[in-house]
Amino acid sequence: MQRNMVVIGGGVVGLASALALARAGWSVRLVDDDPQRSAASWGNAGHIAIEQVEPIASWATVRSLPRRRFGAGGAVSLPPAAWRHWLSFGLRLLGAARPSRFARGRTALSGLLGEAMPAWRRLSASLDTPDLLREEGHVVAWGSVAAAEAGRRAWAAADIGTAAFRDATPAELHQLPGSARAGAIRFTNTAQIADLGALDRALRAALVAAGGTILPGRATLTLAGGEARLAVDGAAVPDVDQLLVSAGVASGRLLAPLGHRVPIIAERGYHIRAVDHDWPADLPPLVFEDRAMIVTRYAGCVQAASFVEFAGIDTPPDPAKWERLEAHVVALGLPLRPPFTRWTGARPTLPDYLPAIGRSARAGNLLYAFGHQHLGLTLAAVTGESIVALAEGRAAAIDLAPFGLQRFYA
């Protein structure tokens, strides 16, 4: 008897999970209401960030906030009009930053990140898209010798899990564009996705080839008899054995009718892209750490991305963020020329900076996988593999207990 699964959400986590389920023998329908590909999945830096083991919810983050404010030249923005969103989120983050909770979160995140690269290798090898996964590391650079020395010390003291780095060689420093040659380190075993659009197309094609179906439309959920019921654009969807909610920042709204109060926030990032450039073809993602900006060369453009803006899903974008990015490009002397295209997208972030992966305690047929904050791309493949184990009622390769939504109800 074939098992029926509906996946809600067409971002990279939803697609990777739907594909893993279809290849495991499930009859999969994926509901996607983002035809413009506006989700954070399709505007991120393309970086497989296995080094980011330490959750951002930490006392170090809290202490650094004054100097990281957008108004002080930093990357963190708390728009006054969005105070209802970020105030309650911030109070929960303070609780999650307690040393004991931070340590538990780091252990949990380390388990996921330790399997992220092997899972990506398996997924990439299964797609008909050569060179999609580029395992050439990434570079972190600073604008002064003093900043470079401090940055090296900080990375040497940080928990970076299975990642590794070394000082950039003189030749690598010379290759760096603009004024980024004061000092740099090179991570040697991280990776990037070469083209986010190609990844989207490859995952969708593979899902259809595995027997999956993609349904455009807006999903809503209700609770009846201890199970979730699904409608798409108001029409009930029949023959659903299990559901997976993987709708990014919209997952909180979806789950609310089932009794889940999810403290998720739209943690928004911004990027600009240039098609006219002289960026080195073989340079991996380059982080300008003292400007909190990452520059990535994709197949058809070069992208500069930054900012952590805590707001609501529907908060209008702030043009000052794009203007700051363009100013960084000029100040650093980067070989990117206008016109720039502009984008903003919402990272789905929970206060402890851990994803939500598990089975609902309120609807027995409902699974969830969302809230991956900055690590959605990084953790997409391993999340998909874990969801198959959850759906089939067996233990995943990683302990998923720390990622259950029940941690917010205790």
Side-chain angles (χ1 to χ4, degrees), residues 242-245 355-361 363 366-370 383 386-387 390-391 400-401 403-407:
Q242 295 197 55
L243 287 156
L244 170 64
V245 171
I357 306 172
R359 182 178 290 278
S360 171
L366 187 133
L367 309 174
Y368 50 82
F370 63 87
T383 298
S386 300
I387 285 297
L390 274 174
L400 299 178
F403 308 110
L405 284 173
Q406 64 273 11
R407 69 189 192 265

Side-chain angles (χ1 to χ4, degrees), residues 40-109:
S41 293
W42 315 121
N44 63 66
H47 174 40
I48 308 299
I50 62 171
E51 79 283 0
Q52 294 182 17
V53 170
E54 297 189 353
I56 295 173
S58 68
W59 282 121
T61 296
V62 173
R63 288 193 297 268
S64 72
L65 278 176
R67 61 182 171 83
R68 293 184 184 276
R69 291 182 301 109
F70 181 75
V76 179
S77 177
L78 302 171
W83 70 269
R84 289 181 178 84
H85 298 283
W86 54 253
L87 180 59
S88 59
F89 179 89
L91 293 173
R92 284 180 173 269
L93 186 150
L94 287 173
R98 294 197 306 266
S100 59
R101 288 192 62 187
F102 171 78
R104 291 196 300 271
R106 179 174 57 192
T107 298
L109 199 53

Side-chain angles (χ1 to χ4, degrees), residues 23-337:
R23 287 175 168 173
W26 288 77
S27 175
V28 177
R29 288 165 285 178
L30 182 137
V31 181
D32 183 16
D33 68 349
D34 185 25
Q36 302 302 317
R37 308 295 191 270
S38 60
S41 293
W42 315 121
N44 63 66
H47 174 40
I48 308 299
I50 62 171
E51 79 283 0
Q52 294 182 17
V53 170
E54 297 189 353
I56 295 173
S58 68
W59 282 121
T61 296
V62 173
R63 288 193 297 268
S64 72
L65 278 176
R67 61 182 171 83
R68 293 184 184 276
R69 291 182 301 109
F70 181 75
V76 179
S77 177
L78 302 171
W83 70 269
R84 289 181 178 84
H85 298 283
W86 54 253
L87 180 59
S88 59
F89 179 89
L91 293 173
R92 284 180 173 269
L93 186 150
L94 287 173
R98 294 197 306 266
S100 59
R101 288 192 62 187
F102 171 78
R104 291 196 300 271
R106 179 174 57 192
T107 298
L109 199 53
S110 178
L112 272 179
L113 287 168
E115 296 298 323
M117 190 62 75
W120 259 115
R121 292 187 185 113
R122 290 188 289 271
L123 178 56
S124 177
S126 76
L127 300 174
D128 188 21
T129 310
D131 303 320
L132 182 65
L133 181 69
R134 298 179 56 185
E135 296 191 54
E136 299 172 4
H138 72 284
V139 177
V140 181
W142 295 272
S144 69
V145 172
E149 291 175 350
R152 284 191 193 95
R153 288 194 300 271
W155 278 111
D159 183 352
I160 58 172
T162 60
F165 71 86
R166 56 169 173 75
D167 285 341
T169 66
E172 289 168 339
L173 283 173
H174 182 72
Q175 183 193 27
L176 298 183
S179 56
R181 298 169 184 166
I185 58 176
R186 181 156 186 164
F187 282 80
T188 56
N189 62 339
T190 57
Q192 79 166 95
I193 297 300
D195 186 329
L196 293 175
L199 173 64
D200 175 43
R201 293 187 295 271
L203 289 172
R204 289 171 185 270
L207 174 59
V208 172
T213 303
I214 299 174
L215 306 175
R218 183 173 180 271
T220 53
L221 297 174
T222 55
L223 186 65
E227 292 197 338
R229 298 288 184 261
L230 170 68
V232 175
D233 291 338
V237 177
D239 302 322
V240 179
D241 295 324
Q242 295 197 55
L243 287 156
L244 170 64
V245 171
S246 188
V249 73
S251 298
R253 289 179 177 175
L254 270 169
L255 291 174
L258 308 185
H260 288 291
R261 297 182 63 188
V262 181
I264 196 166
I265 198 167
E267 193 212 293
R268 304 197 309 176
Y270 289 72
H271 81 218
I272 58 173
R273 285 180 172 177
V275 297
D276 185 8
H277 63 83
D278 297 313
W279 198 262
D282 57 348
L283 185 63
L286 172 58
V287 178
F288 295 91
E289 191 163 80
D290 35 14
R291 292 178 184 263
M293 182 174 75
I294 180 169
V295 182
T296 306
R297 177 165 179 161
Y298 286 123
C301 66
V302 173
Q303 172 183 295
S306 185
F307 301 115
V308 176
E309 181 184 72
F310 296 96
I313 299 175
D314 303 318
T315 304
D318 178 7
K321 307 297 191 306
W322 291 310
E323 291 164 5
R324 177 77 60 83
L325 281 171
E326 293 174 10
H328 285 332
V329 167
V330 172
L332 289 166
L334 302 186
L336 312 180
R337 291 175 288 276

